[in-house]
Structures are given as C-alpha cells and as structure tokens.
Amino acid sequence: MSHQFDQTDMGILQLLQEDARLTHKELAHRLHKSVTPIHIRVRRLQEEGYIKRYAAILNQDKIGKSLTAFTQVQVKEHSQEGLLAFKEEIIKITEVMECYHMTGSFDFLLRIVIRDMKEYNDVLIDKLAKVKDIGHVESFFVISEIKHETAFSLHTKT
Amino acid sequence: MSHQFDQTDMGILQLLQEDARLTHKELAHRLHKSVTPIHIRVRRLQEEGYIKRYAAILNQDKIGKSLTAFTQVQVKEHSQEGLLAFKEEIIKITEVMECYHMTGSFDFLLRIVIRDMKEYNDVLIDKLAKVKDIGHVESFFVISEIKHETAFSLHTKT
DNA sequence: GGTGAAAGGTCCAGAGA
DNA sequence: TCTCTGGACCTTTCACC
C-alpha cells in the first residue's frame, strides 16, 4: 500500500465534496498542481474507496417530499438472527433514507422521508408494522431543517 | 412557469442521484432520448432548483470519522430570538452534519460525526455547551450503520 | 418539443525527464 | 512523481424540423 494521504489528497476530497463536477483542470489550479497528478490522485482516491460515489443532491421539497420523520424502534428479539432479519426488511423500505443500530433505550433510529402524514401512516402500517419482531415504535417529526451537510470537514485530519 | 415534470425528468433525477457522473449520452441512451433534449432538461432541473448540487460521497471510516452521535438538545429560551441565535451558533459547528428543529420532548436533533469519544467530548464541552440558552442534552451513539441513502425514491411521484 | 452537426473543452494514456 | 502532447470523448450551441 502506497497511500500516504497528503495535503493535496485532502484538498481534492474537500473540494469534490462541495462540487463533484469540478474539472481536473480547475482542481489543479486551486491546489497549485498540474492536471496529470490531480488525475492520478482522483483515480487512486476512487479505487481505494475514499470516494464512494458521486451523487446529485435533490431539493426535498421540490420533489414533493415535505415531511421528514425520525422513528425510534425497539425490537422484541435481540438474537443475531432477529437483528439480521430486521435489517434486511428495513433496507427494502424505500422511504427509509437512513437506519442506524443505536445505543440507549431504543434499538434503531430511522430517518423517513415522505410527502405528508398520510404517507407516513402508510409506511408505518403497511411496511414497518409488518416487519417481524417489531416492538415499541416512537415517532418524531422535523419542523424545520437547519443544517444538512454531506461534506465532512477534513481540516484537522492528518 | 413551463415546468411540467414528466417521466423523462424523473428518470434523469433518479439516475443522477445514483451516479452524478453519467454523461448526457449515457442518460440519453437509457431514457431512449437523444443528447440535446437531455442536455436541456438537465440544465433546467439545475436552474429550477430540483438539483441542489453534485457531491462526492466519502467513506466515513476511511477518513477517520468512525463515530456518529445523535444528540437531542433542549433550549431554555423559546423566543424567536433565542431560536434564531441557537441556529446560527449550531450551523458553525463543523462536526454537526445535520440539525433539525423537532416536535416532541426535545427541541433539536443533531447528527454529529467525529473520530472518537474524545472528540465528541471536545465538541460537547468546547462548542455545544458554549451555545447560549442550552438546556438538557442527551446523546445516543451509532453502533452500526445499516442504511444511509442520499437518493430519494421517485417511482410513484407524479 | 425534437434532430444533427460543428466547435471547443476535458479526460486519459503514453513517452520522456 | 511530474510535464507535455495527442487522440477520443463529452458538452454546448446553433440552425433547422
């Protein structure tokens, strides 16, 4: 492995997180390098998995997804099979944008994005309630989004 | 306003959410159109704000951010100025990836991404605790990430 | 709305230092 | 590891349908 992660790599990642469509020429200019080394580094960062993928980030309201819910879920069965089965079911629910296994008084935290409360009800009744071993479910709703960042801050990373 | 959002627009958004670097030629091929109309539509979708931006999505572990916390915050002052001041302070904390104003027994939910528990402690003590009118704070930690999607599902959207 | 072609820019490999 | 160069491909515009 020859990846010594330097300042230039960090600069590339920082800039591409903010705008994935910067050309190599532009990156080279901003990082005071020429195009070829930038090209090589970007490819290496992709191949080594630093960059997972490039995504268009949409405006949630514009596409009619105005409601965001955070849903805390407890499961009845905490065996390995129980948890695995739960995960597989949850992944299939397209409205679930994020799902985490958590410490604390509940087991899973879900971020669910839908059009309105009617659609949330449908997800709860038709999809979530049908998952095996579901226990207590508690819902919290987003009043307003104050910050939603996809870019990690890398400034103090070595 | 001349934007009647059709199947082709939806296809473009769906595909670009998954891979922002698809060429117009490739999009055209997959959506059974030619290059120019795709080009015009992509530009319109950007200009009208459907597409907010293009982002490189990084591997959180690879860049040394192995810990994710969800932090519930109550504020003491619920006046308009109090809430506004809180928002302004929170936005500045670079470790806070997401912040939502919520319904329910707490006021704000934060997703905080850091290297380890030491760094979480630093954020709490040096940054969050210094925000004016902060009240009760409760922390929950991610054991494992089961799903983390940036792409909304558009299949039933009209 | 769509087609097709022309001009300019970008990507990416190869040779050489 | 970087610089330079050339060909292939992509983006973007324009005249026309």
Side-chain angles (χ1 to χ4, degrees):
Chain A
M1 297 295 238
S2 57
H3 59 282
Q4 34 183 348
F5 199 78
D6 66 12
Q7 286 299 113
T8 306
D9 289 318
M10 225 170 76
I12 290 170
L13 292 181
Q14 193 80 62
L15 289 167
L16 287 181
Q17 283 190 106
E18 301 296 341
D19 184 358
R21 291 196 318 172
L22 290 171
T23 64
H24 293 174
K25 190 180 171 185
E26 181 63 25
L27 286 173
H29 176 67
R30 297 205 198 173
L31 298 169
H32 309 103
K33 292 265 172 183
S34 69
V35 175
T36 311
I38 294 293
H39 177 248
I40 291 167
R41 281 154 184 275
V42 169
R43 193 172 47 189
R44 209 195 59 224
L45 290 167
Q46 288 167 178
E47 283 168 357
E48 292 183 356
Y50 287 91
I51 297 170
K52 283 202 291 193
R53 53 184 238 282
Y54 298 90
I57 308 297
L58 305 192
N59 184 323
Q60 193 174 328
D61 288 325
K62 278 254 174 191
I63 56 169
K65 306 277 188 183
S66 302
L67 185 60
T68 300
F70 280 89
T71 309
Q72 297 177 352
V73 175
Q74 280 181 13
V75 295
K76 288 179 189 156
E77 178 62 66
H78 286 81
S79 67
Q80 193 175 16
E81 309 92 64
L83 292 176
L84 272 174
F86 178 83
K87 291 180 186 183
E88 278 180 27
E89 296 285 330
I90 287 295
I91 287 170
K92 288 187 214 147
I93 303 178
T94 56
E95 291 87 353
V96 173
M97 303 292 289
E98 300 176 43
C99 174
Y100 302 97
H101 190 185
M102 303 293 293
T103 63
S105 52
F106 54 94
D107 296 308
F108 295 94
L109 180 65
L110 280 53
R111 184 164 70 90
I112 298 180
V113 171
I114 52 277
R115 168 183 284 277
D116 50 26
M117 203 52 92
K118 184 198 167 308
E119 223 180 277
Y120 185 67
N121 182 65
D122 294 345
V123 172
L124 230 53
I125 305 294
D126 298 336
K127 299 186 176 177
L128 201 59
K130 288 184 178 166
V131 175
K132 202 163 151 286
D133 292 323
I134 275 271
H136 182 64
V137 173
E138 195 154 350
S139 305
F140 301 86
F141 298 96
V142 170
I143 298 172
S144 74
E145 184 179 297
I146 291 147
K147 181 175 186 177
H148 192 159
E149 193 60 63
T150 59
F152 302 106
S153 179
L154 301 175
H155 55 86
T156 46
K157 172 75 176 51
T158 313
Chain B
M1 296 296 241
S2 59
H3 59 281
Q4 34 181 344
F5 198 79
D6 67 10
Q7 286 300 115
T8 305
D9 290 318
M10 226 169 74
I12 290 171
L13 291 180
Q14 193 82 63
L15 289 166
L16 287 181
Q17 282 190 103
E18 300 296 340
D19 183 358
R21 291 197 319 170
L22 291 172
T23 64
H24 293 173
K25 190 180 171 185
E26 181 64 25
L27 286 172
H29 176 67
R30 296 206 200 173
L31 297 168
H32 310 102
K33 293 265 172 183
S34 67
V35 174
T36 309
I38 295 293
H39 179 249
I40 291 168
R41 282 154 182 273
V42 169
R43 193 173 47 188
R44 209 194 60 225
L45 290 167
Q46 288 166 177
E47 282 169 356
E48 292 184 355
Y50 288 92
I51 297 171
K52 284 201 291 192
R53 53 182 238 279
Y54 298 90
I57 307 296
L58 305 192
N59 183 323
Q60 193 174 328
D61 289 326
K62 278 254 175 190
I63 56 168
K65 306 277 188 183
S66 301
L67 185 59
T68 300
F70 280 89
T71 308
Q72 297 176 353
V73 175
Q74 281 181 13
V75 294
K76 287 179 189 157
E77 179 60 66
H78 286 80
S79 67
Q80 193 178 16
E81 308 91 65
L83 293 176
L84 272 173
F86 178 83
K87 291 180 186 182
E88 277 181 29
E89 295 286 328
I90 287 295
I91 287 171
K92 288 188 215 148
I93 304 178
T94 55
E95 291 86 352
V96 174
M97 304 291 291
E98 299 175 46
C99 174
Y100 302 96
H101 190 184
M102 303 292 296
T103 63
S105 52
F106 54 93
D107 296 308
F108 295 93
L109 181 65
L110 280 53
R111 184 164 71 88
I112 297 180
V113 171
I114 52 277
R115 169 183 284 277
D116 50 26
M117 204 51 93
K118 183 198 169 306
E119 221 178 279
Y120 184 68
N121 183 64
D122 294 344
V123 172
L124 231 53
I125 304 294
D126 298 335
K127 299 186 178 179
L128 201 59
K130 289 184 178 166
V131 176
K132 201 164 152 285
D133 292 324
I134 274 271
H136 184 64
V137 173
E138 196 156 348
S139 304
F140 301 87
F141 297 96
V142 169
I143 298 172
S144 73
E145 182 178 297
I146 291 146
K147 182 175 186 176
H148 192 158
E149 191 61 61
T150 59
F152 302 105
S153 178
L154 300 175
H155 55 84
T156 45
K157 173 73 178 53
T158 312

